[in-house]
Amino acid sequence: MEELFNSSKLLKHWPSILLGLLLALTFKYIKEYRRKRSKNVKLAGEEDIAVDFPLEDPDALQPALEEKPHVPFVQGENLNPDGARRFYELARGRRSVRAFNAERKPPINIIEDCIRAAGTAPSGAHTEPWTFCVVQQLAVKQAVRQLVEQEEHINYSTRMHAQWVTDLRPLQTNAIKPYLSDAPYLILIFKQTYGTTAQGRKKLHYYHEISTSIACGVLLCALQAAGLSSLVTTPLNCGPALRRLLERPANEKLLILLAVGYAAEDCKVPDLQRKCLQDIMVKY
Ligand SMILES: Cc1cc2nc3c(=O)[nH]c(=O)nc-3n(C[C@H](O)[C@H](O)[C@H](O)COP(=O)(O)O)c2cc1C
């Protein structure tokens, strides 16, 4: 009897129950939609894009760049005729140099122009996520050298595995780095893992490592074009200490430590061959 009474009560109120259910489902859907839009979803294998960025109100989002009408494209200068061939001739002359002329210092304006060139590199969503720290003072170069050599002794003896150390043998590198104090310039290139908008909000930097690496490539070519030599280094386990030494903020991570200058008169380089075009290019 009681069961019958309850089921008739249920039947009587079914429109309100259904409405309540519908409302609850809609509310849940909106909440989920907002959560998905506002929280970063970590994409598998995409280590180089910004994550962990809580947004308060997805509907109030503004782009980091100003939204303006596009302007007509202007073709930049080129090296024609034979621009590509001439550039190849230039690029193939670049070698990593580990002995610098400490007495001959290139003028700073050349370094500035090279970094200007690097700053023209493309970057994810035009975030320009790079900082180029140019060190010229001997005391700072010596401090860099001391820090790097200290870690490199540990790297070579314990951190790097035997195959790695063996593979480096033909390059004749070791834990002693005179070029870090001899080279007239050290350029420490930091990738900015995130930035700050003009309004002081946290700005996402997409593909900061790829973008900064491309900028470094442009920098290497510009240095070569200026007749300067360089050495790309990635000192293992030194990033945080070098960042602190140069008083760079926590959003910056060291990507490359570049030694720059004129090669020493008696400079020698490993006898290396480059892969030929057929080995690096596949036509479809
Ligand atoms: C990502 C990267 C990291 C490197 N790290 C070092 C390094 O820590 N120390 C070093 O002496 N050379 C380093 N090099 C230089 C390479 O050994 C050099 O580019 C390679 O042997 C080819 O020689 P080349 O630059 O003369 O063509 C590095 C190069 C790259 C691209």
Side-chain angles (χ1 to χ4, degrees):
M1 193 63 193
E2 200 183 333
E3 265 175 35
L4 202 72
F5 174 77
N6 281 345
S7 55
S8 67
K9 226 167 120 182
L10 214 74
L11 277 174
K12 201 174 145 198
H13 293 291
W14 74 265
S16 347
I17 294 169
L18 193 68
L19 188 71
L21 262 170
L22 271 173
L23 277 173
L25 277 172
T26 314
F27 185 67
K28 200 174 163 221
Y29 174 80
I30 293 172
K31 223 173 121 184
E32 184 64 10
Y33 175 74
R34 286 184 160 235
R35 188 190 68 81
K36 272 194 182 154
R37 281 189 62 196
S38 65
K39 238 180 130 194
N40 283 287
V41 182
K42 195 162 178 120
L43 303 175
E46 297 288 351
E47 297 300 327
D48 196 19
I49 58 167
V51 289
D52 187 24
F53 187 74
L55 303 169
E56 307 86 45
D57 181 4
D59 297 322
L61 287 178
Q62 290 296 325
L65 287 176
E66 196 187 335
E67 281 180 292
K68 295 188 285 188
H70 284 196
V71 293
F73 167 68
V74 181
Q75 176 78 50
E77 254 186 63
N78 61 55
L79 298 174
N80 281 329
D82 305 326
R85 175 57 55 161
R86 288 170 64 198
F87 186 77
Y88 164 59
E89 294 300 339
L90 178 86
R92 72 198 287 255
R94 185 210 54 79
R95 291 303 312 271
S96 289
V97 154
R98 296 177 179 85
F100 289 88
N101 185 337
E103 310 305 319
R104 196 170 163 217
K105 185 180 177 190
I108 184 72
N109 64 303
I110 295 182
I111 303 295
E112 287 169 352
D113 276 341
C114 292
I115 292 175
R116 275 193 186 96
T120 67
S123 59
H126 191 54
T127 45
E128 303 172 283
W130 41 63
T131 307
F132 297 87
C133 295
V134 179
V135 177
Q136 324 174 48
Q137 288 171 31
L138 184 61
V140 186
K141 288 191 291 179
Q142 280 168 339
V144 170
R145 179 176 172 182
Q146 197 186 351
L147 256 164
V148 172
E149 287 187 340
Q150 195 179 303
E151 289 301 319
E152 284 286 79
H153 280 295
I154 309 171
N155 292 338
Y156 274 86
S157 58
T158 51
R159 288 196 193 111
M160 288 149 68
H161 52 73
Q163 182 62 59
W164 191 349
V165 178
T166 308
D167 285 339
L168 289 178
R169 231 167 34 215
L171 305 178
Q172 296 178 17
T173 59
N174 56 40
I176 313 295
K177 318 273 179 196
Y179 54 79
L180 289 177
S181 46
D182 286 351
Y185 295 101
L186 298 180
I187 307 180
L188 288 89
I189 301 132
F190 291 84
K191 59 174 189 177
Q192 299 170 354
T193 54
Y194 61 88
T196 312
T197 65
Q199 293 75 35
R201 289 164 62 103
K202 196 173 177 182
K203 183 177 147 208
L204 291 179
H205 281 178
Y206 311 96
Y207 299 107
H208 42 76
E209 181 154 333
I210 297 177
S211 305
T212 309
S213 303
I214 293 173
C216 288
V218 177
L219 176 61
L220 293 184
C221 293
L223 292 166
Q224 181 68 13
L228 301 182
S229 290
S230 61
L231 173 65
V232 170
T233 70
T234 43
L236 192 64
N237 229 42
C238 297
L242 291 171
R243 179 179 70 75
R244 282 192 294 274
L245 176 75
L246 300 183
E247 299 178 341
R248 299 310 305 162
N251 64 324
E252 296 188 2
K253 306 261 179 283
L254 184 72
L255 189 69
I256 282 172
L257 165 49
L258 198 66
V260 175
Y262 294 107
E265 298 263 302
D266 56 351
C267 176
K268 287 205 170 80
V269 292
D271 184 7
L272 303 177
Q273 307 304 317
R274 302 206 187 276
K275 288 179 179 173
C276 62
L277 184 65
Q278 288 72 19
D279 292 340
I280 61 170
M281 179 174 145
V282 184
K283 284 191 212 161
Y284 294 94

